[in-house]
Amino acid sequence: MTSPWLGWIQQLQGIAQTGLHYENHPFDTERYRQVQKIADAMLAAIADAEPQTLADLLHQDVGHATPKIEVRGVVFREGRLLLVQESSDGQWALPGGWADIGDSPSRAVEREIFEESGYITRATRLLAVYDRAHPRHDHPPALYHSYKLFFRCDLVEGQPTPSYETTAIDFFGPDAIPPLSPGRNSLSQIQRCFDLRDHPVAPVEFD
Protein backbone atom coordinates (compact mmCIF):
# COMPACT_ATOMS: atom_id res chain seq x y z
CA MET A 1 0.00 0.00 0.00
CA THR A 2 1.52 3.33 -1.06
CA SER A 3 1.03 6.49 0.99
CA PRO A 4 -0.27 8.74 -1.85
CA TRP A 5 -3.05 6.31 -2.71
CA LEU A 6 -4.00 5.86 0.94
CA GLY A 7 -4.13 9.62 1.41
CA TRP A 8 -6.46 10.03 -1.57
CA ILE A 9 -8.69 7.24 -0.29
CA GLN A 10 -8.82 8.79 3.19
CA GLN A 11 -9.89 12.10 1.64
CA LEU A 12 -12.65 10.42 -0.36
CA GLN A 13 -13.81 8.56 2.74
CA GLY A 14 -13.81 11.82 4.68
CA ILE A 15 -15.81 13.66 2.03
CA ALA A 16 -18.36 10.85 1.93
CA GLN A 17 -18.61 10.54 5.70
CA THR A 18 -19.02 14.27 6.25
CA GLY A 19 -21.46 14.59 3.36
CA LEU A 20 -23.66 11.82 4.77
CA HIS A 21 -23.57 13.53 8.16
CA TYR A 22 -24.82 16.84 6.71
CA GLU A 23 -27.07 15.30 4.04
CA ASN A 24 -29.91 17.55 2.85
CA HIS A 25 -31.34 15.85 -0.23
CA PRO A 26 -31.86 12.17 -1.19
CA PHE A 27 -29.81 12.69 -4.36
CA ASP A 28 -26.90 14.00 -2.27
CA THR A 29 -27.16 10.97 0.01
CA GLU A 30 -26.92 8.60 -2.93
CA ARG A 31 -23.93 10.44 -4.40
CA TYR A 32 -22.01 10.34 -1.12
CA ARG A 33 -22.76 6.64 -0.72
CA GLN A 34 -21.38 6.08 -4.22
CA VAL A 35 -18.20 7.97 -3.30
CA GLN A 36 -17.94 5.85 -0.16
CA LYS A 37 -18.29 2.61 -2.12
CA ILE A 38 -15.64 3.71 -4.63
CA ALA A 39 -13.21 4.53 -1.81
CA ASP A 40 -13.96 1.15 -0.18
CA ALA A 41 -13.27 -0.66 -3.45
CA MET A 42 -10.03 1.27 -4.05
CA LEU A 43 -8.75 0.47 -0.56
CA ALA A 44 -9.71 -3.20 -0.91
CA ALA A 45 -7.89 -3.39 -4.25
CA ILE A 46 -4.58 -2.03 -3.00
CA ALA A 47 -4.82 -3.88 0.35
CA ASP A 48 -5.88 -7.18 -1.26
CA ALA A 49 -8.81 -7.52 1.12
CA GLU A 50 -12.57 -8.03 0.94
CA PRO A 51 -14.38 -4.70 0.36
CA GLN A 52 -17.09 -5.52 2.90
CA THR A 53 -14.53 -6.33 5.61
CA LEU A 54 -12.86 -2.95 5.18
CA ALA A 55 -16.20 -1.18 4.87
CA ASP A 56 -17.34 -2.64 8.19
CA LEU A 57 -14.13 -1.34 9.79
CA LEU A 58 -14.14 2.12 8.21
CA HIS A 59 -17.83 2.87 8.62
CA GLN A 60 -17.74 2.52 12.40
CA ASP A 61 -16.68 6.18 12.39
CA VAL A 62 -19.62 8.51 11.72
CA GLY A 63 -20.26 12.24 11.86
CA HIS A 64 -17.98 14.96 10.56
CA ALA A 65 -14.73 13.28 9.51
CA THR A 66 -11.81 14.56 11.56
CA PRO A 67 -8.37 13.28 12.59
CA LYS A 68 -8.07 11.10 15.68
CA ILE A 69 -5.92 12.25 18.62
CA GLU A 70 -3.02 10.22 19.99
CA VAL A 71 -0.89 11.21 23.01
CA ARG A 72 2.74 10.28 23.74
CA GLY A 73 4.57 10.86 27.03
CA VAL A 74 8.16 12.14 27.09
CA VAL A 75 9.63 11.22 30.50
CA PHE A 76 13.30 11.57 31.40
CA ARG A 77 15.25 10.15 34.33
CA GLU A 78 18.91 11.04 34.72
CA GLY A 79 19.08 12.09 31.09
CA ARG A 80 17.54 8.91 29.71
CA LEU A 81 14.15 8.58 28.01
CA LEU A 82 11.36 6.25 29.13
CA LEU A 83 10.30 3.68 26.50
CA VAL A 84 7.99 0.67 26.72
CA GLN A 85 8.15 -2.55 24.74
CA GLU A 86 4.88 -3.16 22.92
CA SER A 87 3.23 -6.56 23.29
CA SER A 88 1.79 -6.29 19.78
CA ASP A 89 5.09 -6.17 17.87
CA GLY A 90 7.90 -6.54 20.43
CA GLN A 91 9.28 -3.11 19.55
CA TRP A 92 9.66 0.02 21.65
CA ALA A 93 7.73 3.27 21.92
CA LEU A 94 7.06 6.29 24.05
CA PRO A 95 4.17 5.33 26.34
CA GLY A 96 0.88 6.53 24.94
CA GLY A 97 -2.16 5.79 22.82
CA TRP A 98 -5.54 7.13 21.76
CA ALA A 99 -7.08 9.85 23.91
CA ASP A 100 -10.35 8.73 25.50
CA ILE A 101 -13.62 10.65 25.59
CA GLY A 102 -13.80 12.55 28.88
CA ASP A 103 -10.02 12.88 29.23
CA SER A 104 -8.25 16.19 28.97
CA PRO A 105 -5.04 15.95 26.90
CA SER A 106 -2.84 16.05 30.03
CA ARG A 107 -4.97 13.48 31.83
CA ALA A 108 -4.89 11.22 28.77
CA VAL A 109 -1.09 11.14 28.58
CA GLU A 110 -0.66 10.71 32.34
CA ARG A 111 -3.12 7.81 32.30
CA GLU A 112 -1.43 6.14 29.33
CA ILE A 113 2.00 6.41 30.95
CA PHE A 114 0.73 4.84 34.17
CA GLU A 115 -1.17 2.05 32.43
CA GLU A 116 1.76 1.10 30.20
CA SER A 117 4.73 1.65 32.52
CA GLY A 118 3.55 1.82 36.15
CA TYR A 119 4.97 5.33 36.62
CA ILE A 120 2.95 8.25 37.94
CA THR A 121 3.81 11.45 36.08
CA ARG A 122 2.66 15.04 35.71
CA ALA A 123 2.29 16.59 32.27
CA THR A 124 4.12 19.93 32.23
CA ARG A 125 4.55 21.00 28.63
CA LEU A 126 3.28 20.31 25.11
CA LEU A 127 6.37 19.67 22.97
CA ALA A 128 4.94 18.89 19.55
CA VAL A 129 1.83 18.14 17.50
CA TYR A 130 2.72 15.89 14.58
CA ASP A 131 0.53 14.83 11.67
CA ARG A 132 0.98 11.07 11.42
CA ALA A 133 0.35 11.14 7.66
CA HIS A 134 2.96 13.81 6.94
CA PRO A 135 5.83 12.25 4.91
CA ARG A 136 8.52 13.85 7.09
CA HIS A 137 7.66 11.46 9.94
CA ASP A 138 8.18 8.24 7.99
CA HIS A 139 5.31 6.30 9.59
CA PRO A 140 3.83 3.30 7.77
CA PRO A 141 0.41 3.86 6.14
CA ALA A 142 -2.67 3.64 8.38
CA LEU A 143 -6.40 3.55 7.75
CA TYR A 144 -7.09 6.50 10.05
CA HIS A 145 -5.63 10.00 9.89
CA SER A 146 -4.39 11.12 13.30
CA TYR A 147 -2.48 13.83 15.12
CA LYS A 148 0.19 12.91 17.69
CA LEU A 149 0.53 15.10 20.78
CA PHE A 150 3.92 14.78 22.52
CA PHE A 151 3.92 15.93 26.17
CA ARG A 152 6.91 16.43 28.44
CA CYS A 153 5.99 14.79 31.74
CA ASP A 154 7.80 14.90 35.07
CA LEU A 155 8.34 11.59 36.87
CA VAL A 156 6.62 11.67 40.28
CA GLU A 157 6.85 8.11 41.60
CA GLY A 158 6.24 4.46 40.78
CA GLN A 159 8.11 1.43 39.58
CA PRO A 160 8.30 -0.33 36.21
CA THR A 161 5.20 -2.50 35.84
CA PRO A 162 4.38 -4.25 32.54
CA SER A 163 0.76 -4.47 31.43
CA TYR A 164 -1.19 -6.48 28.87
CA GLU A 165 -0.02 -3.87 26.32
CA THR A 166 3.66 -3.84 27.33
CA THR A 167 6.25 -6.50 28.15
CA ALA A 168 9.17 -4.36 29.37
CA ILE A 169 9.91 -0.84 30.58
CA ASP A 170 13.28 0.92 30.57
CA PHE A 171 15.10 4.23 30.16
CA PHE A 172 17.46 4.78 27.21
CA GLY A 173 20.12 7.28 26.26
CA PRO A 174 20.16 8.95 22.82
CA ASP A 175 22.83 6.58 21.51
CA ALA A 176 21.17 3.37 22.71
CA ILE A 177 17.63 3.54 21.34
CA PRO A 178 16.20 0.03 20.77
CA PRO A 179 14.18 -0.98 17.66
CA LEU A 180 11.15 1.30 17.53
CA SER A 181 7.51 0.52 16.80
CA PRO A 182 7.22 2.54 13.56
CA GLY A 183 3.52 3.31 13.73
CA ARG A 184 3.89 4.81 17.18
CA ASN A 185 7.06 6.87 16.90
CA SER A 186 9.97 7.40 14.56
CA LEU A 187 13.67 7.70 15.36
CA SER A 188 13.66 11.36 14.31
CA GLN A 189 10.83 12.05 16.77
CA ILE A 190 12.72 10.31 19.57
CA GLN A 191 15.85 12.29 18.75
CA ARG A 192 13.79 15.47 18.75
CA CYS A 193 12.60 14.67 22.28
CA PHE A 194 16.23 14.76 23.44
CA ASP A 195 16.77 18.04 21.57
CA LEU A 196 13.73 19.64 23.19
CA ARG A 197 14.83 18.41 26.63
CA ASP A 198 17.89 20.61 26.27
CA HIS A 199 15.87 23.62 25.06
CA PRO A 200 13.10 24.13 27.65
CA VAL A 201 11.83 27.37 26.06
CA ALA A 202 11.70 26.12 22.47
CA PRO A 203 8.32 26.75 20.80
CA VAL A 204 5.88 23.90 20.24
CA GLU A 205 6.59 22.06 16.99
CA PHE A 206 3.74 21.16 14.66
CA ASP A 207 2.96 19.38 11.37
Side-chain angles (χ1 to χ4, degrees):
M1 188 183 298
T2 58
S3 295
W5 276 100
L6 182 59
W8 297 331
I9 292 168
Q10 288 173 333
Q11 290 179 54
L12 286 174
Q13 287 282 0
I15 291 168
Q17 179 180 322
T18 302
L20 289 170
H21 178 65
Y22 293 112
E23 60 185 86
N24 293 310
H25 192 282
F27 288 149
D28 288 335
T29 300
E30 182 59 28
R31 291 188 187 99
Y32 286 124
R33 293 201 186 281
Q34 288 176 350
V35 172
Q36 198 172 53
K37 288 178 181 178
I38 291 169
D40 291 344
M42 291 170 64
L43 182 58
I46 64 173
D48 192 23
E50 289 294 329
Q52 189 57 52
T53 300
L54 291 174
D56 291 343
L57 177 63
L58 290 169
H59 300 174
Q60 294 174 15
D61 193 18
V62 296
H64 189 108
T66 188
K68 292 179 176 293
I69 298 296
E70 177 186 342
V71 293
R72 292 285 155 188
V74 180
V75 183
F76 288 100
R77 187 179 69 183
E78 298 177 350
R80 298 192 300 165
L81 180 64
L82 174 66
L83 297 177
V84 297
Q85 188 175 38
E86 298 288 339
S87 301
S88 60
D89 60 12
Q91 297 177 311
W92 294 78
L94 295 168
W98 298 122
D100 287 342
I101 299 298
D103 274 351
S104 66
S106 62
R107 170 57 186 156
V109 73
E110 291 167 355
R111 173 182 53 76
E112 286 286 340
I113 294 170
F114 178 72
E115 290 177 354
E116 294 191 354
S117 73
Y119 287 111
I120 296 173
T121 60
R122 181 173 61 88
T124 58
R125 181 183 169 211
L126 178 63
L127 298 179
V129 180
Y130 293 139
D131 179 353
R132 188 191 191 283
H134 197 290
R136 68 177 277 211
H137 301 301
D138 197 29
H139 290 298
L143 288 178
Y144 296 109
H145 189 186
S146 62
Y147 292 160
K148 293 175 173 287
L149 279 59
F150 286 65
F151 285 91
R152 175 69 187 268
C153 299
D154 289 345
L155 181 58
V156 177
E157 62 181 355
Q159 58 185 359
T161 307
S163 70
Y164 73 93
E165 293 181 287
T166 58
T167 55
I169 297 98
D170 207 344
F171 290 82
F172 297 88
D175 299 323
I177 301 300
L180 296 173
S181 184
R184 295 175 172 87
N185 38 217
S186 67
L187 182 58
S188 63
Q189 290 167 350
I190 296 295
Q191 292 171 336
R192 191 61 183 142
C193 290
F194 283 97
D195 293 341
L196 293 171
R197 176 201 61 179
D198 298 328
H199 296 85
V201 296
V204 176
E205 289 196 348
F206 51 88
D207 292 351

